[in-house]
Amino acid sequence: MSKRFEGRTAIVTGASRGIGLGIAERLVADGARVVITARKQDALDEAVAHLGGPDVALAVAGRADDGDHQADVIRQTIETFGSIDFLVNNTGINPVYGPLVELDLAVARKIVEVNCIAAVSWVQQVHRAWMKEHGGAIVNVSSLSSVRTAPGIGFYGASKAMLNSLTELMAVELGPDIRINGVAPAVVKTKFATKLYEGREDEIAAAYPLKRLGEPEDIGSVVAFLLSDEAAWLTGQTVLIDGGVSLTGAGE
């Protein structure tokens, strides 16, 4: 890997495992220091060891939609590594599966709070603390379900469609010194997505032109590109990372 991010620091939310950890791995491989968040300290500590230890990674446990937690993460990031050059809003929840007519509306409100409002709050806090003066780059992790109907996870998809819209709006407001883009993965082999493929991976993958489901590193490489200077003229875009499945008409 290159060292294109040497001397730069990224906050990656929801990064104790899965896509978030895959993103953090790629950023560290490219020379960045990372601050990772999630709810459980033990899992975060394991992730820090996996990433290479405290010289390159710091873990701060808490809820992604807790404003005090966000402020604490930002404070510790600047104190430990001296900057916040990148933010990756990866945290997302989908605690329900089923039709919208049976959706618990209290759960729906929580999905919007975590998947959308928290992402805006992270941007606001990072902007005030560092990026307004120094610039930076941000990536929001969305989902293919944000642009295609996905029965069973429909409200999750709707929340991610809102996130796509927020990405576009913030790109207009934050330029030219801060770029913000998104990625929208199809099914990636993580614990979070287990219900979408468990016991039928070959069947699901057959609908993908590339004949496999995604891996966390597939997302990490694209996020790293979007954060890099190589994407210097790219903002407000949400990139589908889907193995070509959106071209086939098959379900997610």
Side-chain angles (χ1 to χ4, degrees), residues 178-189:
I178 302 170
R179 297 184 302 103
I180 180 165
N181 291 289
V183 293
V187 178
V188 178
K189 293 170 63 176

Side-chain angles (χ1 to χ4, degrees), residues 20-68:
L21 183 56
I23 292 168
E25 287 176 339
R26 180 56 189 262
L27 298 181
V28 169
D30 279 353
R33 292 83 53 94
V34 296
V35 178
I36 58 174
T37 77
R39 287 175 296 174
K40 297 180 180 179
Q41 189 67 51
D42 289 349
L44 284 169
D45 290 342
E46 291 179 10
V48 166
H50 175 76
L51 291 167
D55 288 343
V56 296
L58 170 70
V60 186
R63 292 187 297 105
D65 58 332
D66 180 348
D68 290 339

Side-chain angles (χ1 to χ4, degrees), residues 146-191:
S146 69
V147 297
R148 297 186 62 188
T149 302
I153 59 169
F155 196 81
Y156 171 78
S159 74
K160 292 298 189 175
M162 181 179 176
L163 184 63
N164 296 353
S165 180
L166 292 169
T167 297
E168 294 176 354
L169 179 59
M170 288 190 287
V172 173
E173 292 182 350
L174 295 175
D177 296 324
I178 302 170
R179 297 184 302 103
I180 180 165
N181 291 289
V183 293
V187 178
V188 178
K189 293 170 63 176
T190 65
K191 184 177 180 181

Side-chain angles (χ1 to χ4, degrees), residues 24-213:
E25 287 176 339
R26 180 56 189 262
L27 298 181
V28 169
D30 279 353
R33 292 83 53 94
V34 296
V35 178
I36 58 174
T37 77
R39 287 175 296 174
K40 297 180 180 179
Q41 189 67 51
D42 289 349
L44 284 169
D45 290 342
E46 291 179 10
V48 166
H50 175 76
L51 291 167
D55 288 343
V56 296
L58 170 70
V60 186
R63 292 187 297 105
D65 58 332
D66 180 348
D68 290 339
H69 166 65
Q70 295 168 4
D72 185 44
V73 171
I74 289 165
R75 178 186 60 79
Q76 290 198 48
T77 301
I78 295 172
E79 288 180 356
T80 304
F81 294 128
S83 67
I84 306 173
D85 305 284
F86 309 129
L87 169 67
V88 180
N89 278 312
N90 173 66
T91 300
I93 62 168
N94 184 41
V96 292
Y97 186 90
L100 286 176
V101 292
E102 298 175 5
L103 178 64
D104 182 327
L105 296 184
V107 174
R109 293 184 185 97
K110 185 63 175 179
I111 290 171
V112 172
E113 182 72 33
V114 174
N115 294 2
C116 303
I117 297 173
V120 174
S121 181
W122 276 103
V123 172
Q124 289 179 339
Q125 295 220 36
V126 167
H127 182 260
R128 285 195 296 266
W130 187 264
M131 289 190 182
K132 181 178 181 180
E133 181 177 353
H134 302 279
I138 300 167
V139 171
N140 292 327
V141 178
S142 181
S143 167
L144 179 61
S145 63
S146 69
V147 297
R148 297 186 62 188
T149 302
I153 59 169
F155 196 81
Y156 171 78
S159 74
K160 292 298 189 175
M162 181 179 176
L163 184 63
N164 296 353
S165 180
L166 292 169
T167 297
E168 294 176 354
L169 179 59
M170 288 190 287
V172 173
E173 292 182 350
L174 295 175
D177 296 324
I178 302 170
R179 297 184 302 103
I180 180 165
N181 291 289
V183 293
V187 178
V188 178
K189 293 170 63 176
T190 65
K191 184 177 180 181
F192 180 82
T194 298
K195 284 189 176 181
L196 300 178
Y197 70 88
E198 189 173 38
R200 54 197 183 105
E201 181 179 338
D202 291 344
E203 174 191 347
I204 299 299
Y208 287 62
L210 295 184
K211 303 304 179 189
R212 68 174 179 88
L213 302 184

